[in-house]
mmCIF file with all atom_site columns, all heavy atoms in Angstrom:
data_model
loop_
_atom_site.group_PDB
_atom_site.id
_atom_site.type_symbol
_atom_site.label_atom_id
_atom_site.label_alt_id
_atom_site.label_comp_id
_atom_site.label_asym_id
_atom_site.label_entity_id
_atom_site.label_seq_id
_atom_site.pdbx_PDB_ins_code
_atom_site.Cartn_x
_atom_site.Cartn_y
_atom_site.Cartn_z
_atom_site.occupancy
_atom_site.B_iso_or_equiv
_atom_site.pdbx_formal_charge
_atom_site.auth_seq_id
_atom_site.auth_comp_id
_atom_site.auth_asym_id
_atom_site.auth_atom_id
_atom_site.pdbx_PDB_model_num
ATOM 1  N N   . ASN A 1 52  ? -41.076  -59.805 51.876 1.00 84.00 ? 52  ASN A N   1
ATOM 2  C CA  . ASN A 1 52  ? -42.293  -59.754 52.689 1.00 84.00 ? 52  ASN A CA  1
ATOM 3  C C   . ASN A 1 52  ? -41.925  -59.651 54.164 1.00 84.00 ? 52  ASN A C   1
ATOM 4  O O   . ASN A 1 52  ? -41.671  -60.666 54.815 1.00 84.00 ? 52  ASN A O   1
ATOM 5  C CB  . ASN A 1 52  ? -43.142  -61.001 52.429 1.00 84.00 ? 52  ASN A CB  1
ATOM 6  C CG  . ASN A 1 52  ? -44.415  -61.016 53.259 1.00 84.00 ? 52  ASN A CG  1
ATOM 7  O OD1 . ASN A 1 52  ? -44.770  -60.026 53.902 1.00 84.00 ? 52  ASN A OD1 1
ATOM 8  N ND2 . ASN A 1 52  ? -45.107  -62.144 53.249 1.00 84.00 ? 52  ASN A ND2 1
ATOM 9  N N   . ALA A 1 178 ? -48.302  -58.828 72.878 1.00 89.00 ? 178 ALA A N   1
ATOM 10 C CA  . ALA A 1 178 ? -48.970  -59.704 71.916 1.00 89.00 ? 178 ALA A CA  1
ATOM 11 C C   . ALA A 1 178 ? -49.202  -59.013 70.576 1.00 89.00 ? 178 ALA A C   1
ATOM 12 O O   . ALA A 1 178 ? -49.497  -57.814 70.505 1.00 89.00 ? 178 ALA A O   1
ATOM 13 C CB  . ALA A 1 178 ? -50.302  -60.172 72.480 1.00 89.00 ? 178 ALA A CB  1
ATOM 14 N N   . TRP A 1 377 ? -98.511  -68.468 46.598 1.00 92.00 ? 377 TRP A N   1
ATOM 15 C CA  . TRP A 1 377 ? -99.013  -67.116 46.808 1.00 92.00 ? 377 TRP A CA  1
ATOM 16 C C   . TRP A 1 377 ? -97.858  -66.151 46.998 1.00 92.00 ? 377 TRP A C   1
ATOM 17 O O   . TRP A 1 377 ? -96.809  -66.490 47.535 1.00 92.00 ? 377 TRP A O   1
ATOM 18 C CB  . TRP A 1 377 ? -99.979  -67.032 47.986 1.00 92.00 ? 377 TRP A CB  1
ATOM 19 C CG  . TRP A 1 377 ? -99.365  -67.273 49.347 1.00 92.00 ? 377 TRP A CG  1
ATOM 20 C CD1 . TRP A 1 377 ? -99.227  -68.452 49.992 1.00 92.00 ? 377 TRP A CD1 1
ATOM 21 C CD2 . TRP A 1 377 ? -98.805  -66.277 50.225 1.00 92.00 ? 377 TRP A CD2 1
ATOM 22 N NE1 . TRP A 1 377 ? -98.622  -68.292 51.210 1.00 92.00 ? 377 TRP A NE1 1
ATOM 23 C CE2 . TRP A 1 377 ? -98.358  -66.969 51.388 1.00 92.00 ? 377 TRP A CE2 1
ATOM 24 C CE3 . TRP A 1 377 ? -98.640  -64.908 50.154 1.00 92.00 ? 377 TRP A CE3 1
ATOM 25 C CZ2 . TRP A 1 377 ? -97.753  -66.301 52.457 1.00 92.00 ? 377 TRP A CZ2 1
ATOM 26 C CZ3 . TRP A 1 377 ? -98.036  -64.239 51.218 1.00 92.00 ? 377 TRP A CZ3 1
ATOM 27 C CH2 . TRP A 1 377 ? -97.605  -64.939 52.351 1.00 92.00 ? 377 TRP A CH2 1
ATOM 28 N N   . ASN A 1 409 ? -94.489  -44.412 43.027 1.00 93.00 ? 409 ASN A N   1
ATOM 29 C CA  . ASN A 1 409 ? -95.451  -45.498 42.892 1.00 93.00 ? 409 ASN A CA  1
ATOM 30 C C   . ASN A 1 409 ? -96.083  -45.824 44.242 1.00 93.00 ? 409 ASN A C   1
ATOM 31 O O   . ASN A 1 409 ? -95.434  -45.749 45.287 1.00 93.00 ? 409 ASN A O   1
ATOM 32 C CB  . ASN A 1 409 ? -94.740  -46.736 42.336 1.00 93.00 ? 409 ASN A CB  1
ATOM 33 C CG  . ASN A 1 409 ? -95.704  -47.851 41.988 1.00 93.00 ? 409 ASN A CG  1
ATOM 34 O OD1 . ASN A 1 409 ? -96.877  -47.621 41.714 1.00 93.00 ? 409 ASN A OD1 1
ATOM 35 N ND2 . ASN A 1 409 ? -95.211  -49.069 41.999 1.00 93.00 ? 409 ASN A ND2 1
ATOM 36 N N   . HIS A 1 420 ? -101.704 -73.658 36.045 1.00 94.00 ? 420 HIS A N   1
ATOM 37 C CA  . HIS A 1 420 ? -102.290 -73.058 34.843 1.00 94.00 ? 420 HIS A CA  1
ATOM 38 C C   . HIS A 1 420 ? -102.921 -71.685 35.067 1.00 94.00 ? 420 HIS A C   1
ATOM 39 O O   . HIS A 1 420 ? -103.128 -70.955 34.091 1.00 94.00 ? 420 HIS A O   1
ATOM 40 C CB  . HIS A 1 420 ? -103.355 -73.997 34.250 1.00 94.00 ? 420 HIS A CB  1
ATOM 41 C CG  . HIS A 1 420 ? -102.821 -75.320 33.818 1.00 94.00 ? 420 HIS A CG  1
ATOM 42 N ND1 . HIS A 1 420 ? -101.979 -75.480 32.750 1.00 94.00 ? 420 HIS A ND1 1
ATOM 43 C CD2 . HIS A 1 420 ? -103.002 -76.573 34.345 1.00 94.00 ? 420 HIS A CD2 1
ATOM 44 C CE1 . HIS A 1 420 ? -101.661 -76.761 32.613 1.00 94.00 ? 420 HIS A CE1 1
ATOM 45 N NE2 . HIS A 1 420 ? -102.261 -77.448 33.569 1.00 94.00 ? 420 HIS A NE2 1
ATOM 46 N N   . THR A 1 467 ? -111.124 -53.579 36.359 1.00 96.00 ? 467 THR A N   1
ATOM 47 C CA  . THR A 1 467 ? -110.475 -52.481 37.076 1.00 96.00 ? 467 THR A CA  1
ATOM 48 C C   . THR A 1 467 ? -111.496 -51.416 37.410 1.00 96.00 ? 467 THR A C   1
ATOM 49 O O   . THR A 1 467 ? -112.335 -51.052 36.574 1.00 96.00 ? 467 THR A O   1
ATOM 50 C CB  . THR A 1 467 ? -109.356 -51.852 36.226 1.00 96.00 ? 467 THR A CB  1
ATOM 51 O OG1 . THR A 1 467 ? -108.441 -52.867 35.822 1.00 96.00 ? 467 THR A OG1 1
ATOM 52 C CG2 . THR A 1 467 ? -108.607 -50.791 37.021 1.00 96.00 ? 467 THR A CG2 1
ATOM 53 N N   . HIS A 1 471 ? -110.649 -41.253 40.804 1.00 91.00 ? 471 HIS A N   1
ATOM 54 C CA  . HIS A 1 471 ? -110.006 -39.951 40.696 1.00 91.00 ? 471 HIS A CA  1
ATOM 55 C C   . HIS A 1 471 ? -110.892 -38.934 41.406 1.00 91.00 ? 471 HIS A C   1
ATOM 56 O O   . HIS A 1 471 ? -112.119 -39.136 41.510 1.00 91.00 ? 471 HIS A O   1
ATOM 57 C CB  . HIS A 1 471 ? -109.828 -39.551 39.217 1.00 91.00 ? 471 HIS A CB  1
ATOM 58 C CG  . HIS A 1 471 ? -108.804 -38.483 38.979 1.00 91.00 ? 471 HIS A CG  1
ATOM 59 N ND1 . HIS A 1 471 ? -108.985 -37.172 39.336 1.00 91.00 ? 471 HIS A ND1 1
ATOM 60 C CD2 . HIS A 1 471 ? -107.572 -38.546 38.418 1.00 91.00 ? 471 HIS A CD2 1
ATOM 61 C CE1 . HIS A 1 471 ? -107.916 -36.468 39.008 1.00 91.00 ? 471 HIS A CE1 1
ATOM 62 N NE2 . HIS A 1 471 ? -107.038 -37.289 38.444 1.00 91.00 ? 471 HIS A NE2 1
ATOM 63 N N   . SER A 1 492 ? -106.457 -23.874 36.567 1.00 85.00 ? 492 SER A N   1
ATOM 64 C CA  . SER A 1 492 ? -107.072 -24.747 35.572 1.00 85.00 ? 492 SER A CA  1
ATOM 65 C C   . SER A 1 492 ? -107.850 -25.823 36.305 1.00 85.00 ? 492 SER A C   1
ATOM 66 O O   . SER A 1 492 ? -107.335 -26.448 37.238 1.00 85.00 ? 492 SER A O   1
ATOM 67 C CB  . SER A 1 492 ? -105.996 -25.376 34.678 1.00 85.00 ? 492 SER A CB  1
ATOM 68 O OG  . SER A 1 492 ? -106.586 -26.197 33.701 1.00 85.00 ? 492 SER A OG  1
ATOM 69 N N   . LEU A 1 722 ? -66.448  -51.114 29.850 1.00 95.00 ? 722 LEU A N   1
ATOM 70 C CA  . LEU A 1 722 ? -66.066  -51.495 31.214 1.00 95.00 ? 722 LEU A CA  1
ATOM 71 C C   . LEU A 1 722 ? -65.200  -52.738 31.112 1.00 95.00 ? 722 LEU A C   1
ATOM 72 O O   . LEU A 1 722 ? -65.666  -53.787 30.673 1.00 95.00 ? 722 LEU A O   1
ATOM 73 C CB  . LEU A 1 722 ? -67.307  -51.773 32.074 1.00 95.00 ? 722 LEU A CB  1
ATOM 74 C CG  . LEU A 1 722 ? -67.047  -52.392 33.453 1.00 95.00 ? 722 LEU A CG  1
ATOM 75 C CD1 . LEU A 1 722 ? -66.186  -51.465 34.316 1.00 95.00 ? 722 LEU A CD1 1
ATOM 76 C CD2 . LEU A 1 722 ? -68.364  -52.700 34.164 1.00 95.00 ? 722 LEU A CD2 1
#
Side-chain angles (χ1 to χ4, degrees):
N52 179 10
W377 67 271
N409 188 25
H420 298 291
T467 305
H471 199 289
S492 181
L722 171 61

